Amino acid sequence: MSAVYDLLLRHIDLLTPKTTVLGSAKDFSGEWLSVVKKNELQINTWDWLTAQAYQGHIDNKLITFGLPTTDQLQDRTVILLWPKAKPFAQALIQLIATTAKRCYVVAANDAGGKSIGSACKEFSSSTTKLDSARHCSLWSIDLTPVTKFNWLAMGRSFKWDAADYLTLPGVFSHGSLDSGTSVLLEHLPAPAHGRLLDLGCGSGVIGLSLKKRSPSLEVVLTDVDAFALRSAQLNSMRLALPVEILHSDGLTAIDGRFDFIITNPPFHQGKNTDYQFAQNLFKQAKQHLVKDGQLWLIANRHLGYEEWAQEAFDHVEVMVQEKGFKLICAQEPR
C-alpha cells in the first residue's frame, strides 16, 4: 500500500464528502477504500492505473480521469498527492490556487515530502507541516491566489525531423527528446505501410514522426498518463497527422493486431526498478502482432530485455548499441 494513504487515515477530519484527492497512487488498503467509499471522496487523477484501481469499488461518478481543471476543484478541500517531478507538482499547486485559499499536500519523504514547504514557498503565504509518519509528510499550504491558469501555457516543445512536439507538464522528458527515443528514431527503419502501435507514447513523437514519413501507415498511440495522451492529441492536430489515441495499461485495452509495436518502455517507478511492463509486453505481444510482425524496443544497455524476449520470440536481435542504450527487434512470436 502507498504509505501516503496511511498518513491521511490519521487525519480523518480532512476526509469528507467535500474532499478531492488529486494525484496518482494506485496501491491502497481496504481501510482506505472503505473511507473513500463511506465519505464519498472525489478521486481526481491523470493516471489511468489509479483510476482503474478504484473502478468497481466506488461509484464511478466519484472518479475523474484526465487533466484536472479549475471547475473540478471549485469549492473543494483538495489533498494533493505530490508527484515526484517538482515542476509538475508546482504547476498543480498553481491550478489549485485558482479556486482555493488552502490545500493539503502529502508525499513520501524520498519523493520530496520533506521539502514541500520550500517547494511551495513561491505560491503560498505560509506552509505548515501537520504530520510525519511512515516516511511521509503532510503539509497545509495557505495559497497565494492565481487568477489565470492554462495547461498549454506551461507546455514546452522540442524539435525532431523538422517538426515541433509539445509536451505538457508531467510528461516524460518534458520539453526535450530523451536520449533513448533519439537513438530509436535515428536507427529505426521507417515502415512504409501497415498498422503500427506506439506503446507508452508520451508526446507521440515516435508514432507521429513515422506517420509523417509514411502517411499510409495506420498509427495507434497509447499511454496511461492523461497529460501524455493530451500532448499526443495536440501534436497530432498541430501536425495534421491523423492517428488513433487511447488509454491502456500496456496491451490490456488494445484491440486487433499490428505489423509493428514500437516502445520505449518505462522501468522506473518511484525509487524501485520495475520490469513488469516489459515482461508483460513480451508475453502478450503474440496476441497483438501479425504473423510476420515486429516488436521494436529501446532499453538501457544494462537491462537484459533480449533474454526475456527470447522466451517469447524465435528471433531476437540487438540492432544498435549507442549512448548507453540498445535497440532490440523481436520477430516470430511463439
Side-chain angles (χ1 to χ4, degrees):
M1 171 184 169
S2 179
V4 296
Y5 294 130
D6 271 350
L7 180 53
L8 288 175
L9 286 171
R10 290 158 57 103
H11 298 268
I12 201 71
D13 56 307
L14 297 179
L15 309 178
T16 76
K18 296 288 289 181
T19 299
T20 293
V21 179
L22 173 63
S24 166
K26 65 184 177 65
D27 298 319
F28 44 77
S29 68
E31 183 182 2
W32 170 258
L33 189 60
S34 177
V35 170
V36 171
K37 185 173 182 179
K38 178 182 177 182
N39 294 357
E40 296 184 325
L41 306 186
Q42 292 279 349
I43 305 300
N44 192 313
T45 183
W46 53 86
D47 174 49
W48 178 242
L49 299 180
T50 298
Q52 220 175 17
Y54 282 101
Q55 288 180 350
H57 300 288
I58 64 174
D59 191 331
N60 282 345
K61 293 179 180 178
L62 299 175
I63 307 168
T64 300
F65 169 72
L67 273 62
T69 64
T70 296
D71 291 346
Q72 295 165 357
L73 306 181
Q74 191 75 42
D75 300 322
R76 306 290 300 176
T77 298
V78 179
I79 299 175
L80 173 63
L81 309 182
W82 186 260
K84 196 168 186 179
K86 182 179 173 181
F88 181 36
Q90 291 175 325
L92 290 163
I93 287 291
Q94 292 174 71
L95 169 67
I96 298 167
T98 62
T99 185
K101 295 181 179 179
R102 175 180 294 170
C103 71
Y104 300 90
V105 183
V106 61
N109 290 335
D110 62 3
K114 290 182 177 179
S115 58
I116 285 172
S118 59
C120 292
K121 188 175 181 180
E122 181 182 350
F123 315 105
S124 64
S125 56
S126 67
T127 61
T128 305
K129 183 184 284 191
L130 299 178
D131 198 2
S132 182
R134 293 289 307 274
H135 306 290
C136 297
S137 298
L138 174 65
W139 294 75
S140 172
I141 311 295
D142 290 331
L143 299 165
T144 302
V146 172
T147 56
K148 294 182 180 179
F149 184 90
N150 188 329
W151 283 116
L152 283 177
M154 296 194 171
R156 295 179 184 173
S157 296
F158 64 87
K159 189 178 289 291
W160 171 257
D161 194 22
D164 289 317
Y165 291 87
L166 175 73
T167 57
L168 294 173
V171 176
F172 172 63
S173 194
H174 178 40
S176 64
L177 181 65
D178 67 283
S179 298
T181 299
S182 175
V183 171
L184 184 152
L185 289 171
E186 287 171 6
H187 297 283
L188 178 71
H193 54 79
R195 193 165 187 242
L196 181 147
L197 174 65
D198 180 354
L199 186 63
C201 66
S203 65
V205 62
I206 295 174
L208 290 172
S209 63
L210 294 174
K211 176 74 171 179
K212 181 173 178 280
R213 296 182 204 175
S214 304
S216 63
L217 273 177
E218 181 184 347
V219 175
V220 178
L221 308 179
T222 180
D223 208 296
V224 295
D225 186 283
F227 285 88
L229 294 170
R230 181 58 174 157
S231 298
Q233 180 186 48
L234 290 168
N235 289 323
S236 171
M237 294 168 59
R238 291 166 66 244
L239 299 173
L241 296 171
V243 295
E244 182 181 357
I245 301 173
L246 50 88
H247 56 71
S248 177
D249 174 13
L251 293 167
T252 57
I254 304 300
D255 293 325
R257 293 181 181 268
F258 295 84
D259 300 279
F260 309 94
I261 297 176
I262 303 175
T263 186
N264 181 358
F267 69 94
H268 282 302
Q269 293 196 358
K271 64 181 179 181
N272 299 315
T273 302
D274 185 352
Y275 307 115
Q276 187 174 0
F277 182 98
Q279 290 173 329
N280 289 341
L281 173 60
F282 294 132
K283 293 176 184 177
Q284 299 167 4
K286 180 178 181 179
Q287 285 73 45
H288 296 278
L289 282 170
V290 300
K291 185 177 180 180
D292 57 349
Q294 299 177 345
L295 169 64
W296 288 82
L297 178 147
I298 190 76
N300 287 60
R301 186 176 292 175
H302 70 277
L303 299 175
Y305 282 179
E306 64 268 35
E307 298 173 11
W308 300 339
Q310 287 166 358
E311 297 176 4
F313 290 83
D314 285 331
H315 185 76
V316 178
E317 186 174 356
V318 176
M319 309 299 287
V320 174
Q321 294 197 59
E322 186 178 298
K323 299 177 183 177
F325 295 91
K326 54 189 173 185
L327 180 61
I328 300 168
C329 179
Q331 303 178 75
E332 301 176 22
R334 294 173 186 160

